[in-house]
Amino acid sequence: MSQANLDLFLAEARKSQSLSEQVRAARSHEELIKLAGSRGHELTKVLTMFITMILATYS
């Protein structure tokens, strides 16, 4: 539940096209939390909001 977890998850998403596509396809913070959890990363709703902002910036 830390910035480090978020950083690790985002680094993994940058390396994996499949994961990157799954992150982009997620429609809710809960979906992102489940996706991260399935990869061994523990994220909170607050951290997933950062992912949403990052995706909006690069879309």
Side-chain angles (χ1 to χ4, degrees):
M1 281 194 277
S2 68
Q3 180 69 39
N5 284 337
L6 177 60
D7 292 342
L8 289 171
F9 180 65
L10 291 176
E12 185 177 340
R14 282 190 289 277
K15 293 178 185 175
S16 167
Q17 183 177 354
S18 173
L19 179 56
S20 181
E21 290 171 0
Q22 291 174 331
V23 169
R24 285 187 181 93
R27 298 289 173 223
S28 69
H29 297 289
E30 289 77 20
E31 286 183 22
L32 285 171
I33 291 168
K34 287 180 185 177
L35 178 59
S38 73
R39 301 291 204 143
H41 303 280
E42 185 178 348
L43 300 182
T44 64
K45 187 173 181 177
V46 172
L47 290 175
T48 62
M49 289 192 298
F50 287 113
I51 294 171
T52 304
M53 288 187 297
I54 291 167
L55 290 175
T57 301
Y58 292 104
S59 296

